[in-house]
Amino acid sequence: MNQNQIQLDVERALDEDLNGLGPNEGDITAALINDDVMVTASILTREDCVLCGTLWATETFKQVNPDIKVNWLYNDGDLCEANKVFCELSGSARSILTAERTALNFLQTLSGTATTTKAYVDLLKGSGITLLDTRKTIPGMRLAQKYAVKCAGADNHRIGLFDAFLIKENHILACGSIDNAVKQAKKNKPNAKVEVEVESLEELKQAINAKADIVMLDNFNQEMLSQAVLINNKSVKLEVSGNITSEKLQNLRGIGIDFVSSGAITKDVKSIDLSLRIN
């Protein structure tokens, strides 16, 4: 992760709480505490999780008060059992409490993303299939969530609209055909990967003939997937997408596909239950 991006993420999040003011002026509740009161505090998880977001939490405490000492007992990507303390803090009570919610928001959201992703990765373990994320991310949290996905052992699809082609139904209609769309993509950006989303076996054949790099099989049932693998005969990389469930992941093992992409690991994320306690 780029530190400048993390800094910007945290600045934006703190502005929501502090209304663009400094910590002393913006947190009227913490201002009830004398500024010379020093404490130690702990952050713990109430449920098993894959920890993620330490970079954002550290930056949050730093921006509120650089004198707060932050000691991480676990790293991003580590499994953390319920009721385990994973971070120790010391410093101004006022500052720690001002930073608390913003820091926990990053931790609970990114740990939730990583935890869900790890569950999917485990279901595919040993299959040779790579789990990918999508662009279905929380607005403003794209890079952070994609970082969480990587921490959990999956991989990133394209980051945005700028770094790879994903030619879908409406692009095909507007371009006239799969072949036209792929040819234009290779002409416009010869070094970018070209992926085509298809909804039928006939479209799969067209994408293979057009020499796409990857073909996404959208909402194919099990029988269609088996036929697609035979038709493809390893000509291009195959990706499965659409309503990915635990059962579907299990059924994908061993049939000969390369990737599974899931929007659920970022858009349907359940935040992890975390708590900060002054000791």
Side-chain angles (χ1 to χ4, degrees), residues 169 197-201 203-204 216-220 224:
E169 177 186 12
E197 179 183 276
V198 302
E199 299 176 348
S200 69
L201 295 172
E203 287 185 343
L204 167 64
M216 179 189 291
L217 309 174
D218 185 43
N219 284 305
F220 275 37
M224 289 176 67

Side-chain angles (χ1 to χ4, degrees), residues 80-96:
C80 192
E81 295 178 353
N83 300 313
K84 288 285 188 181
V85 171
F86 59 82
C87 182
E88 297 172 336
L89 305 165
S90 61
S92 162
R94 178 188 289 188
S95 298
I96 288 172

